[in-house]
Amino acid sequence: MSTGASSGPPRGADRIAEAFARAASEDRAALIVYLTAGYPDPETSRACLRAAVEGGADIIEVGLPFSDPIMDGPTIQAANQVVLDAGIGLVEQLTIARDALAGSEVPAVAMTYVTVADTRGYARFAQDCADAGLDGVILPDLPVLESDVWRVAAEESGLATIFLASSVSSHERLDAIAAASDGWIYAIGLLGVTGVNAVDDGPTRELVAAIRDRTGTPVAVGIGVRDRETANQVAAFADGVIVGSAVLRAVADGEASGAAERVRTLVADLRSGMARG
Amino acid sequence: MSSTTTSAPERDAAGEPQREGYFGRFGGQFVPESLSGALTELTDAWHTASHDPAFLAELDDLRRNYGGRPTPLYRADRLGAEAGLEVWLKREDLAHTGSHKLNNVVGQALLTKRMGKPRLIAETGAGQHGVATATAAALFGLECTVYMGAEDCRRQRLNVVRMQLLGAEVVPVESGTRTLKDAINEAMRDWVTNVETTHYLIGSAMGPHPFPTMVRELQKVISIEMRTQFAAQAGGSPDAVIACVGGGSNAIGSFADWIDEPAVRLIGVEAAGEGIGSGRSAATLSEGREAVLHGSRSIVLVDDEGQVLPAHSISAGLDYPGVGPEHAWLASTGRGEYVGATDEDALHGFRRTCELEGIIPALEPAHAVGWLLRHGREHLGEDARVILNMSGRGDKDVDEVVRVAGWDVGVERAFRTESDS
């Protein structure tokens, strides 16, 4: 839902909605693939982003590294640190995303932490993301209650803001998340950080149902989708499935020259598990 | 969110009504959604408990009969003569576990029991908060895990052993800068994962609401005692209250009861490491900028891209690139004055406190002593009466101090004979 501008939902939200609609028309969940921009190096990173699209990702999450990523487990932490240690800054990260994804019908959103967006200035950060062709932003440590200023900036730049919802979110908070989130609502699949444990099936199903009671915005489940099996299990009850650490492990698991091929293979395999029924 | 806790500021610098959990523009609750339930539960539990006479009586009993409060206020004449000031030391180093940390920990541990959670986790820098948390966990029969930067485990070995003796699991954190900031990250990740059974007992006046307010209220006992003791022993109010600032819990506890008395200057001494502008400092309020770190908006050492910069200090307890949001607010309004003391100032303060007063201070308050000896008189004027919060004792620091300073002390010196020298 838009935060009330007369121009309607941001342009990014439209592109994201179309991606979910395409998947739904094929009776399957949308596959959302996370990759850290600049990891393990700029060239391989571009190749991996393209490979994710070629492998069948419906939406891309572009991770913009932060020094203190408290929602991330060891895999994404390590990838963040590699990029920061290499001195690859935000402008270069966004350029990598733009170069890799320009012209694609697959929408892409930035995934980073509030400190990165806030320190740059919300308006400038939002415009930088939009200029790089991104369609939305996920800030996992920015709850709706703290997000008023950010949402104005995002909307002015045509970006969707995807908020996270948890099985421990109160009814009131779910109401606020459902009302504020554009593009999709990111349902957290477990209590924990990325890349460690598997989706907690029962509470996650209940969470997805609770969100659907409140809004028609698609619901995608992330954190805890480790492999084709969990992806397939989640695809049965969610509109989208988000895979991150597993993809980065494929990137890291061998020579950089083969990383794109490993990503393409994994994404294609995950995508084949999106079908329902 | 429940209603506000006891005495959060009701006005900001512009006189605007205050948002809950905010100090002016600083504070807030920037955390993953998975923690929302726990923070609401904690805010409510603290609100209820802090108005419950039974809770307050239990806290008071534990503070007195277990924790050794009130701690003395002592006129340090020899240190005062060297500083050219009338110097009083608030002896938090004499409290149980050797620092002010237990004031906060006992309160939060009681809350943990009330919330029915069986497990405590904590971050620690110098190990004083970890030891205090491990102590309360033993006292209340709670499970306890303490995250400590690997670098800090090395320089505060004694406290690692103390925590283990008290039954806590100490987890060295190898990520990032391997110090306090990274220990907090790891504790946050544990909390996100185990939030239903675990209370994250944050040790400083930082983090998401309600921690900065709750920790201040639990540490406020320091300034409440100071006020009564100073009036009885010295008469009137001091000209200044001085405390070291890392995250800022001993400082906010020392300042809290004086904030509404503008004649009393509030001076926070940050760790300036190798000097302001050296690029190796932890003087956040002097060198940082507005940013979000560890759940609240405050002043932080970050670069232009929002990446958190490594802090540096000889003191593991002050080696933190952020500061509690209320200190950022006090600095922004001018009510608090924040200055820096270098590693070398701290070593000077450490040595002179040993030699002049027979007190081995922790390296953290040694920064405040060092600043007072070298800059106090010019800053405060002749004959000013000051209270310095001696926030902890220095047993934990002796190995590191000798290693860094190269002083001729140690077992080897004791065994050295005339012919060796």
Side-chain angles (χ1 to χ4, degrees), chain A residues 35-51 53 60-65 79 82-84 86-104 108-109 128-129 131-134:
Chain A
L35 282 160
T36 301
Y39 178 76
D41 59 72
E43 188 188 335
T44 309
S45 177
R46 275 188 292 270
C48 289
L49 286 163
R50 287 191 201 103
V53 172
I60 301 287
E61 274 184 25
V62 179
L64 306 176
V82 165
V83 176
L84 295 174
I88 299 169
L90 183 64
V91 169
E92 191 176 355
Q93 294 158 23
L94 289 171
T95 303
I96 289 166
R98 189 194 63 202
D99 291 352
L101 301 170
S104 170
V109 302
D128 287 347
C129 288
D131 290 347
L134 297 177

Side-chain angles (χ1 to χ4, degrees), chain B residues 89-130:
Chain B
L89 301 179
K90 177 61 173 164
R91 298 292 309 277
E92 292 299 293
D93 59 312
L94 293 176
H96 182 42
T97 74
S99 80
H100 70 291
K101 290 295 189 185
L102 198 69
N103 298 331
N104 167 43
V105 163
V106 166
Q108 287 197 48
L110 279 174
L111 272 185
T112 306
K113 294 282 276 187
R114 284 169 83 107
M115 292 188 292
K117 292 185 172 180
R119 178 170 179 261
L120 291 175
I121 58 172
E123 84 294 345
T124 199
Q128 294 298 81
H129 175 58

Side-chain angles (χ1 to χ4, degrees), chain A residues 64-73 77 81 84 88-91 93 114-120 122 140-146 164-170 173-174 177 188 190-193 197, chain B residues 1 19-20 22 27-38 40 175-176 181-182 184-186 188-190 192-196 289-295 297 300 302-309:
Chain A
L64 306 176
F66 177 50
S67 53
D68 296 82
I70 59 169
M71 268 303 277
D72 287 308
Q77 280 177 51
Q81 202 59 51
L84 295 174
I88 299 169
L90 183 64
V91 169
Q93 294 158 23
V114 66
T115 311
V116 170
D118 175 59
T119 305
R120 196 164 188 79
Y122 284 150
D141 55 348
L142 183 69
V144 174
L145 284 172
E146 302 282 2
L164 282 71
S166 162
S167 59
V168 299
S169 300
S170 65
R173 292 183 74 100
L174 286 181
I177 291 164
I188 302 170
L190 51 76
L191 288 175
V193 297
N197 295 316
Chain B
M1 292 297 120
R19 279 176 68 192
E20 184 188 355
Y22 271 84
Q29 217 171 47
F30 295 86
V31 293
E33 185 64 20
S34 301
L35 297 180
S36 63
T40 303
S175 60
K181 157 182 99 77
D182 310 285
I184 295 170
N185 291 340
E186 215 47 47
M188 288 274 187
R189 292 183 186 114
D190 182 318
V192 166
T193 306
N194 300 299
V195 63
E196 292 176 310
R289 55 199 269 185
E290 188 178 322
V292 173
L293 179 63
H294 293 144
R297 178 181 298 280
V300 184
V302 289
D303 69 15
D304 291 343
E305 304 223 320
Q307 307 299 340
V308 181
L309 295 165

Side-chain angles (χ1 to χ4, degrees), chain B residues 31-82:
Chain B
V31 293
E33 185 64 20
S34 301
L35 297 180
S36 63
L39 290 175
T40 303
E41 180 186 14
L42 180 63
T43 304
D44 292 346
W46 167 244
H47 182 71
T48 305
S50 61
H51 294 87
D52 177 356
F55 175 87
L56 296 174
E58 190 173 3
L59 184 60
D60 186 63
D61 176 62
L62 281 163
R63 280 176 168 171
R64 287 176 188 282
N65 301 316
Y66 183 73
R69 302 207 72 87
T71 58
L73 182 72
Y74 158 72
R75 199 178 71 200
D77 285 342
R78 299 189 71 208
L79 208 54
E82 183 151 314

Side-chain angles (χ1 to χ4, degrees), chain B residues 142-273:
Chain B
L142 301 167
E143 211 184 312
C144 181
T145 300
V146 179
Y147 292 93
M148 187 168 187
E151 166 67 10
D152 293 340
C153 289
R154 180 195 65 73
R155 48 181 176 172
Q156 311 278 207
R157 249 167 24 91
L158 174 69
N159 277 343
V160 174
V161 177
R162 291 171 76 198
M163 287 184 269
Q164 289 169 336
L165 287 171
L166 291 161
E169 183 194 1
V170 180
V171 180
V173 177
E174 300 280 359
S175 60
T177 55
R178 307 162 86 235
T179 60
L180 181 54
K181 157 182 99 77
D182 310 285
I184 295 170
N185 291 340
E186 215 47 47
M188 288 274 187
R189 292 183 186 114
D190 182 318
W191 202 27
V192 166
T193 306
N194 300 299
V195 63
E196 292 176 310
T197 59
T198 297
H199 175 60
Y200 178 14
L201 207 163
I202 292 184
S204 196
M206 47 147 288
H209 177 69
F211 285 102
T213 302
M214 180 173 67
V215 174
R216 178 198 63 211
E217 290 302 306
L218 289 168
Q219 291 292 2
K220 193 176 182 178
V221 66
I222 299 171
S223 51
I224 291 171
E225 288 177 7
M226 278 178 181
R227 177 183 289 284
T228 311
Q229 292 168 325
F230 194 86
Q233 295 171 240
S237 295
D239 297 302
V241 175
I242 300 174
C244 62
V245 179
S249 74
N250 97 80
I252 207 68
S254 301
F255 294 172
D257 203 44
W258 305 106
I259 289 174
D260 293 330
E261 195 175 331
V264 179
R265 295 172 71 171
L266 306 177
I267 298 175
V269 182
E270 293 191 300

